Protein backbone atom coordinates (compact mmCIF):
# COMPACT_ATOMS: atom_id res chain seq x y z
CA UNK A 1 0.00 0.00 0.00
CA UNK A 2 1.24 3.53 -0.86
CA UNK A 3 2.47 5.53 2.10
CA UNK A 4 -0.05 7.99 3.50
CA UNK A 5 0.86 11.47 4.73
CA UNK A 6 -1.12 14.18 6.51
CA UNK A 7 -2.51 16.99 4.37
CA UNK A 8 0.45 19.35 4.18
CA UNK A 9 -1.22 22.50 5.52
CA UNK A 10 -2.53 20.95 8.73
CA UNK A 11 0.78 21.29 10.55
CA UNK A 12 2.17 24.31 8.72
CA UNK A 13 1.77 27.80 10.19
CA UNK A 14 -1.15 29.92 9.01
CA UNK A 15 -0.33 32.62 6.44
CA UNK A 16 -1.78 36.12 7.02
CA UNK A 17 -5.08 35.70 5.10
CA UNK A 18 -7.43 32.74 5.48
CA UNK A 19 -10.63 31.47 3.92
CA UNK A 20 -12.94 29.01 5.66
CA UNK A 21 -15.55 27.54 3.28
CA UNK A 22 -18.40 25.21 4.22
CA UNK A 23 -20.19 23.25 1.50
CA UNK A 24 -23.36 21.20 1.35
CA UNK A 25 -24.47 18.66 -1.21
CA UNK A 26 -26.27 20.11 -4.26
CA UNK A 27 -29.53 18.70 -5.65
CA UNK A 28 -27.40 17.24 -8.51
CA UNK A 29 -25.04 15.50 -6.10
CA UNK A 30 -23.63 12.32 -7.61
CA UNK A 31 -21.67 10.17 -5.14
CA UNK A 32 -19.42 8.54 -7.73
CA UNK A 33 -18.53 11.85 -9.34
CA UNK A 34 -18.05 13.56 -5.97
CA UNK A 35 -15.71 10.82 -4.81
CA UNK A 36 -13.73 11.08 -8.03
CA UNK A 37 -13.49 14.88 -7.67
CA UNK A 38 -12.30 14.63 -4.08
CA UNK A 39 -9.80 11.86 -4.64
CA UNK A 40 -8.41 12.65 -8.10
CA UNK A 41 -9.01 16.30 -8.86
CA UNK A 42 -8.72 18.18 -5.57
CA UNK A 43 -5.18 19.42 -4.98
CA UNK A 44 -4.20 19.09 -1.29
CA UNK A 45 -1.47 21.68 -1.91
CA UNK A 46 -4.23 24.32 -2.32
CA UNK A 47 -6.20 23.89 0.90
CA UNK A 48 -7.04 21.65 3.83
CA UNK A 49 -10.13 19.56 3.12
CA UNK A 50 -12.41 17.91 5.68
CA UNK A 51 -15.37 15.59 5.10
CA UNK A 52 -18.34 15.78 7.47
CA UNK A 53 -20.57 12.91 8.58
CA UNK A 54 -23.40 13.76 6.09
CA UNK A 55 -21.00 13.44 3.15
CA UNK A 56 -19.30 10.30 4.49
CA UNK A 57 -22.74 8.73 4.65
CA UNK A 58 -23.56 9.79 1.06
CA UNK A 59 -20.26 8.31 -0.09
CA UNK A 60 -20.98 5.10 1.88
CA UNK A 61 -17.71 5.45 3.76
CA UNK A 62 -17.98 3.98 7.26
CA UNK A 63 -15.72 5.72 9.78
CA UNK A 64 -17.05 5.33 13.34
CA UNK A 65 -14.47 7.81 14.72
CA UNK A 66 -16.27 10.65 12.90
CA UNK A 67 -19.54 11.87 14.37
CA UNK A 68 -21.66 14.96 13.88
CA UNK A 69 -20.88 17.97 16.08
CA UNK A 70 -23.12 17.81 19.18
CA UNK A 71 -25.25 20.70 20.35
CA UNK A 72 -24.55 21.17 24.04
CA UNK A 73 -25.99 23.17 26.89
CA UNK A 74 -24.43 24.25 30.17
CA UNK A 75 -25.49 26.79 32.78
CA UNK A 76 -26.39 29.89 30.74
CA UNK A 77 -24.52 28.45 27.79
CA UNK A 78 -25.84 27.19 24.48
CA UNK A 79 -23.49 25.56 21.98
CA UNK A 80 -25.00 25.03 18.54
CA UNK A 81 -24.21 22.40 15.93
CA UNK A 82 -24.28 23.43 12.27
CA UNK A 83 -22.69 20.27 10.89
CA UNK A 84 -21.53 20.79 7.28
CA UNK A 85 -20.85 18.19 4.58
CA UNK A 86 -17.52 19.48 3.37
CA UNK A 87 -15.08 22.11 4.65
CA UNK A 88 -12.05 23.68 3.03
CA UNK A 89 -9.58 26.02 4.64
CA UNK A 90 -6.82 27.86 2.82
CA UNK A 91 -4.38 30.50 3.95
CA UNK A 92 -2.27 32.70 1.69
CA UNK A 93 0.09 35.67 1.70
CA UNK A 94 -2.39 37.85 -0.20
CA UNK A 95 -6.15 38.13 -0.72
CA UNK A 96 -5.54 37.78 -4.46
CA UNK A 97 -4.12 34.30 -3.96
CA UNK A 98 -7.08 33.38 -1.78
CA UNK A 99 -9.49 34.66 -4.40
CA UNK A 100 -7.84 32.41 -6.99
CA UNK A 101 -8.03 29.40 -4.67
CA UNK A 102 -11.68 30.13 -3.94
CA UNK A 103 -12.52 30.41 -7.67
CA UNK A 104 -10.72 27.13 -8.39
CA UNK A 105 -12.63 25.37 -5.59
CA UNK A 106 -15.97 26.76 -6.83
CA UNK A 107 -15.21 25.49 -10.32
CA UNK A 108 -14.14 22.09 -8.99
CA UNK A 109 -17.00 21.48 -6.57
CA UNK A 110 -19.71 23.47 -8.38
CA UNK A 111 -21.74 20.50 -9.66
CA UNK A 112 -21.90 18.41 -6.52
CA UNK A 113 -21.72 21.03 -3.78
CA UNK A 114 -23.20 24.39 -2.92
CA UNK A 115 -21.18 26.93 -0.97
CA UNK A 116 -23.10 27.31 2.27
CA UNK A 117 -20.82 29.62 4.25
CA UNK A 118 -17.77 31.68 3.42
CA UNK A 119 -15.64 33.47 6.01
CA UNK A 120 -12.43 35.37 5.42
CA UNK A 121 -10.02 35.24 8.33
CA UNK A 122 -6.80 37.05 9.11
CA UNK A 123 -3.81 37.07 11.40
CA UNK A 124 -4.28 39.84 13.94
CA UNK A 125 -1.01 41.50 14.90
CA UNK A 126 1.56 38.80 15.73
CA UNK A 127 -1.03 36.05 16.29
CA UNK A 128 -3.52 37.43 18.79
CA UNK A 129 -7.22 36.90 19.24
CA UNK A 130 -9.25 40.10 18.71
CA UNK A 131 -9.58 40.33 22.49
CA UNK A 132 -5.88 41.23 22.35
CA UNK A 133 -4.55 38.00 23.93
CA UNK A 134 -1.87 35.90 22.23
CA UNK A 135 -3.53 32.73 20.91
CA UNK A 136 -1.65 29.45 20.47
CA UNK A 137 1.02 29.74 23.19
CA UNK A 138 0.44 26.25 24.58
CA UNK A 139 0.04 24.59 21.18
CA UNK A 140 2.12 21.43 20.87
CA UNK A 141 5.16 21.86 18.60
CA UNK A 142 7.17 19.68 16.17
CA UNK A 143 6.86 15.90 16.64
CA UNK A 144 4.47 16.43 19.51
CA UNK A 145 2.14 18.42 17.20
CA UNK A 146 2.27 15.54 14.72
CA UNK A 147 1.30 12.91 17.29
CA UNK A 148 -1.46 15.13 18.73
CA UNK A 149 -3.00 16.04 15.36
CA UNK A 150 -2.44 12.98 13.18
CA UNK A 151 -4.00 9.51 13.50
CA UNK A 152 -1.63 6.56 13.84
CA UNK A 153 -3.90 4.07 12.10
CA UNK A 154 -5.69 2.69 15.16
CA UNK A 155 -9.14 4.24 14.86
CA UNK A 156 -8.68 6.14 11.60
CA UNK A 157 -6.36 5.69 8.61
CA UNK A 158 -2.76 6.58 9.33
CA UNK A 159 -2.00 10.16 8.28
CA UNK A 160 -5.58 11.35 8.60
CA UNK A 161 -6.82 13.89 11.12
CA UNK A 162 -10.03 15.17 12.67
CA UNK A 163 -10.90 18.82 12.97
CA UNK A 164 -13.37 20.85 15.02
CA UNK A 165 -14.44 24.13 13.41
CA UNK A 166 -16.40 26.51 15.59
CA UNK A 167 -17.12 30.17 14.89
CA UNK A 168 -17.16 32.33 17.99
CA UNK A 169 -18.69 35.81 17.92
CA UNK A 170 -17.19 38.35 20.32
CA UNK A 171 -18.81 41.32 22.02
CA UNK A 172 -15.68 43.42 22.47
CA UNK A 173 -17.65 46.43 23.79
CA UNK A 174 -18.82 44.23 26.62
CA UNK A 175 -15.31 42.86 27.20
CA UNK A 176 -13.97 46.40 27.41
CA UNK A 177 -16.43 47.33 30.15
CA UNK A 178 -14.19 45.15 32.35
CA UNK A 179 -10.92 46.46 33.76
CA UNK A 180 -7.71 45.14 32.28
CA UNK A 181 -7.03 43.01 35.33
CA UNK A 182 -10.55 41.56 35.17
CA UNK A 183 -9.97 40.69 31.51
CA UNK A 184 -6.63 39.08 32.39
CA UNK A 185 -8.39 36.99 35.03
CA UNK A 186 -11.04 35.87 32.51
CA UNK A 187 -8.39 34.54 30.15
CA UNK A 188 -5.84 33.59 32.82
CA UNK A 189 -2.94 35.44 31.18
CA UNK A 190 -1.48 38.95 31.34
CA UNK A 191 -2.30 40.70 28.06
CA UNK A 192 1.08 42.48 27.89
CA UNK A 193 3.53 39.84 29.08
CA UNK A 194 1.44 36.76 28.16
CA UNK A 195 2.43 35.32 31.56
CA UNK A 196 -0.01 32.95 33.24
CA UNK A 197 -1.88 34.41 36.19
CA UNK A 198 -1.35 31.79 38.88
CA UNK A 199 -4.25 32.79 41.08
CA UNK A 200 -6.73 33.20 38.22
CA UNK A 201 -10.20 31.89 39.07
CA UNK A 202 -11.22 28.36 38.15
CA UNK A 203 -13.46 29.89 35.43
CA UNK A 204 -10.45 31.44 33.63
CA UNK A 205 -10.15 30.10 30.10
CA UNK A 206 -6.68 28.62 30.54
CA UNK A 207 -7.75 26.90 33.76
CA UNK A 208 -10.80 25.38 32.04
CA UNK A 209 -8.80 24.28 29.01
CA UNK A 210 -5.45 23.28 30.63
CA UNK A 211 -4.65 20.26 28.48
CA UNK A 212 -2.63 18.42 31.14
CA UNK A 213 -5.37 18.78 33.75
CA UNK A 214 -7.58 16.19 32.04
CA UNK A 215 -7.18 12.49 32.56
CA UNK A 216 -6.15 11.23 30.18
CA UNK A 217 -4.64 14.53 29.02
CA UNK A 218 -6.53 16.37 26.25
CA UNK A 219 -4.10 17.86 23.76
CA UNK A 220 -5.28 19.52 20.56
CA UNK A 221 -3.47 21.38 17.79
CA UNK A 222 -5.09 24.79 17.28
CA UNK A 223 -5.01 26.77 14.04
CA UNK A 224 -7.68 29.37 14.80
CA UNK A 225 -7.87 32.74 13.02
CA UNK A 226 -9.80 35.93 13.78
CA UNK A 227 -12.60 37.14 11.53
CA UNK A 228 -14.34 40.52 11.18
CA UNK A 229 -17.20 41.08 8.77
CA UNK A 230 -19.89 43.77 8.82
CA UNK A 231 -20.67 44.40 12.48
CA UNK A 232 -19.57 40.92 13.54
CA UNK A 233 -16.14 39.85 14.74
CA UNK A 234 -14.64 36.94 16.57
CA UNK A 235 -12.57 33.80 16.23
CA UNK A 236 -12.82 31.00 13.67
CA UNK A 237 -11.74 28.34 16.15
CA UNK A 238 -10.03 25.44 14.35
CA UNK A 239 -8.47 22.52 16.22
CA UNK A 240 -7.02 19.27 14.88
CA UNK A 241 -6.68 15.99 16.72
CA UNK A 242 -6.00 12.30 16.10
CA UNK A 243 -9.54 11.92 17.46
CA UNK A 244 -12.36 14.32 18.35
CA UNK A 245 -12.46 13.33 22.01
CA UNK A 246 -9.85 15.77 23.46
CA UNK A 247 -11.60 18.77 21.88
CA UNK A 248 -15.01 17.65 23.07
CA UNK A 249 -13.83 17.02 26.62
CA UNK A 250 -12.38 20.53 26.79
CA UNK A 251 -15.53 22.05 25.29
CA UNK A 252 -17.78 20.25 27.79
CA UNK A 253 -15.71 21.54 30.69
CA UNK A 254 -15.73 25.06 29.23
CA UNK A 255 -19.55 24.83 29.03
CA UNK A 256 -19.71 23.85 32.69
CA UNK A 257 -21.26 20.43 32.09
CA UNK A 258 -18.75 18.84 34.53
CA UNK A 259 -19.01 21.10 37.55
CA UNK A 260 -21.48 23.86 36.69
CA UNK A 261 -18.67 26.42 36.21
CA UNK A 262 -18.66 27.94 32.75
CA UNK A 263 -15.61 29.37 31.05
CA UNK A 264 -15.29 33.15 31.51
CA UNK A 265 -14.93 33.41 27.71
CA UNK A 266 -18.70 33.11 27.56
CA UNK A 267 -18.90 36.51 29.28
CA UNK A 268 -17.98 38.19 26.00
CA UNK A 269 -18.12 35.52 23.29
CA UNK A 270 -20.46 32.79 22.08
CA UNK A 271 -20.15 30.00 19.54
CA UNK A 272 -22.49 30.44 16.55
CA UNK A 273 -21.46 27.41 14.42
CA UNK A 274 -19.94 23.99 15.10
CA UNK A 275 -18.82 21.15 12.82
CA UNK A 276 -16.56 18.11 12.88
CA UNK A 277 -14.69 16.83 9.83
CA UNK A 278 -12.38 13.98 8.88
CA UNK A 279 -9.31 15.14 6.94
CA UNK A 280 -8.25 12.17 4.79
CA UNK A 281 -4.56 11.43 4.30
CA UNK A 282 -2.65 12.08 1.09
CA UNK A 283 -1.11 9.39 -1.13
CA UNK A 284 1.08 10.76 -3.90
CA UNK A 285 -0.56 14.09 -4.69
CA UNK A 286 -4.17 13.14 -4.00
CA UNK A 287 -6.48 12.55 -1.08
CA UNK A 288 -6.77 8.89 -0.18
CA UNK A 289 -10.36 8.10 0.77
CA UNK A 290 -9.86 4.37 1.22
CA UNK A 291 -10.85 2.99 4.60
CA UNK A 292 -9.56 -0.28 6.03
C1 LIG B 1 -13.69 32.70 21.85
C2 LIG B 1 -13.02 31.57 21.64
C3 LIG B 1 -11.64 31.36 22.19
C4 LIG B 1 -10.66 32.27 22.46
C5 LIG B 1 -10.69 33.79 22.23
C6 LIG B 1 -9.54 31.54 23.00
C7 LIG B 1 -8.35 32.14 23.38
C8 LIG B 1 -7.33 31.47 24.05
C9 LIG B 1 -6.16 32.09 24.60
C10 LIG B 1 -5.86 33.59 24.55
C11 LIG B 1 -5.40 31.12 25.16
C12 LIG B 1 -4.06 31.28 25.91
C13 LIG B 1 -2.85 31.13 25.06
C14 LIG B 1 -2.69 29.77 24.43
O1 LIG B 1 -2.19 28.82 25.05
O2 LIG B 1 -3.11 29.66 23.27
C15 LIG B 1 -6.09 29.88 24.94
C16 LIG B 1 -5.64 28.65 25.34
C17 LIG B 1 -6.26 27.45 25.05
N1 LIG B 1 -7.49 27.29 24.48
FE1 LIG B 1 -8.72 28.76 23.84
N2 LIG B 1 -9.86 30.22 23.07
C18 LIG B 1 -11.14 30.06 22.58
C19 LIG B 1 -11.85 28.90 22.48
C20 LIG B 1 -11.36 27.64 22.77
C21 LIG B 1 -12.05 26.40 22.58
C22 LIG B 1 -13.46 26.25 22.00
C23 LIG B 1 -11.21 25.41 22.97
C24 LIG B 1 -11.42 23.91 22.95
C25 LIG B 1 -12.59 23.33 23.14
C26 LIG B 1 -9.99 26.03 23.42
C27 LIG B 1 -8.88 25.36 23.86
C28 LIG B 1 -7.74 25.95 24.35
C29 LIG B 1 -6.60 25.19 24.85
C30 LIG B 1 -6.45 23.69 24.87
C31 LIG B 1 -5.68 26.15 25.31
C32 LIG B 1 -4.31 25.88 25.97
C33 LIG B 1 -4.56 25.53 27.43
C34 LIG B 1 -3.29 25.05 28.11
O3 LIG B 1 -2.99 23.85 28.01
O4 LIG B 1 -2.64 25.90 28.74
N3 LIG B 1 -10.12 27.38 23.30
N4 LIG B 1 -7.26 30.11 24.26
Amino acid sequence: MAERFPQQHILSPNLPYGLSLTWRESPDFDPLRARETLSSQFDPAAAILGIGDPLLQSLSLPLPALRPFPSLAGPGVSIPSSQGSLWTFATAKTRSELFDISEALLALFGRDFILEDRMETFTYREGRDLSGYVDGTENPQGDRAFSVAIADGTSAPRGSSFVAVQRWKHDLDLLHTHSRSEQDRMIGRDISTNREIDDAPISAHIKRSAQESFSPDAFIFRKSMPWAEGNGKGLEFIAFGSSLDPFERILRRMAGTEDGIRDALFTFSAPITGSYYWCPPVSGRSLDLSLP
Side-chain angles (χ1 to χ4, degrees):
M1 190 194 283
E3 207 171 338
R4 293 161 167 190
F5 299 97
Q7 293 183 37
Q8 68 186 72
H9 296 300
I10 294 178
L11 293 166
S12 60
N14 285 335
L15 296 169
Y17 297 92
L19 184 61
S20 178
L21 302 177
T22 308
W23 311 75
R24 68 184 150 88
E25 292 164 35
S26 75
D28 298 329
F29 179 82
D30 177 303
L32 286 179
R33 187 178 58 205
R35 187 175 173 147
E36 173 68 13
T37 305
L38 293 171
S39 58
S40 312
Q41 292 172 35
F42 172 76
D43 176 8
I48 298 172
L49 182 143
I51 299 176
D53 187 56
L55 178 56
L56 266 198
Q57 290 195 35
S58 298
L59 298 176
S60 306
L61 290 170
L63 181 62
L66 182 71
R67 52 186 183 263
F69 193 97
S71 51
L72 299 172
V77 169
S78 166
I79 297 181
S81 167
S82 59
Q83 184 60 57
S85 279
L86 180 69
W87 174 72
T88 55
F89 180 64
T91 68
K93 285 192 191 127
T94 64
R95 281 189 79 193
S96 307
E97 280 175 65
L98 271 188
F99 177 77
D100 292 342
I101 294 171
S102 153
E103 289 292 287
L105 291 173
L106 283 163
L108 185 66
F109 293 143
R111 285 177 78 185
D112 289 307
F113 299 96
I114 293 171
L115 186 59
E116 187 168 50
D117 179 82
R118 178 181 197 282
M119 181 56 84
E120 292 196 16
T121 59
F122 60 100
T123 301
Y124 178 56
R125 302 195 190 174
E126 74 279 35
R128 291 177 186 258
D129 172 65
L130 298 180
S131 58
Y133 290 85
V134 175
D135 193 13
T137 311
E138 291 296 332
N139 239 0
Q141 305 289 324
D143 290 350
R144 180 85 183 112
F146 190 102
S147 61
V148 162
I150 310 299
D152 63 5
T154 323
S155 54
R158 196 183 181 80
S160 63
S161 183
F162 295 90
V163 64
V165 184
Q166 201 185 24
R167 183 169 305 151
W168 287 70
K169 189 173 181 196
H170 294 354
D171 184 338
L172 293 182
D173 291 341
L174 208 156
L175 176 68
H176 297 146
T177 61
H178 294 270
S179 69
R180 194 193 117 168
S181 96
E182 280 168 351
Q183 294 176 37
D184 285 357
R185 291 170 68 78
M186 285 179 193
I187 300 293
R189 284 190 181 266
D190 182 303
I191 198 166
S192 311
T193 63
N194 198 26
R195 273 202 213 101
E196 283 187 36
I197 298 184
D198 293 333
D199 63 350
I202 186 175
S203 58
H205 179 51
I206 68 154
K207 298 273 186 195
R208 295 273 95 190
S209 61
Q211 298 161 103
E212 278 147 355
S213 68
F214 291 81
S215 68
D217 59 26
F219 279 88
I220 53 177
F221 181 69
R222 289 169 289 141
K223 247 179 121 61
S224 312
M225 285 182 95
W227 62 273
E229 195 182 83
N231 291 328
K233 62 200 89 159
L235 187 69
E236 191 83 340
F237 179 88
I238 301 171
F240 292 87
S242 58
S243 101
L244 295 164
D245 298 345
F247 165 82
E248 203 170 303
R249 284 191 288 138
I250 299 171
L251 187 66
R252 284 179 188 276
R253 191 198 273 172
M254 286 172 62
T257 62
E258 276 182 6
D259 53 7
I261 299 168
R262 64 173 192 169
D263 195 305
L265 276 182
F266 287 99
T267 318
F268 72 94
S269 192
I272 54 173
T273 69
S275 281
Y276 285 156
Y277 301 96
W278 172 58
C279 301
V282 173
S283 293
R285 290 186 182 174
S286 307
L287 295 182
D288 186 341
L289 300 188
S290 52
L291 293 173

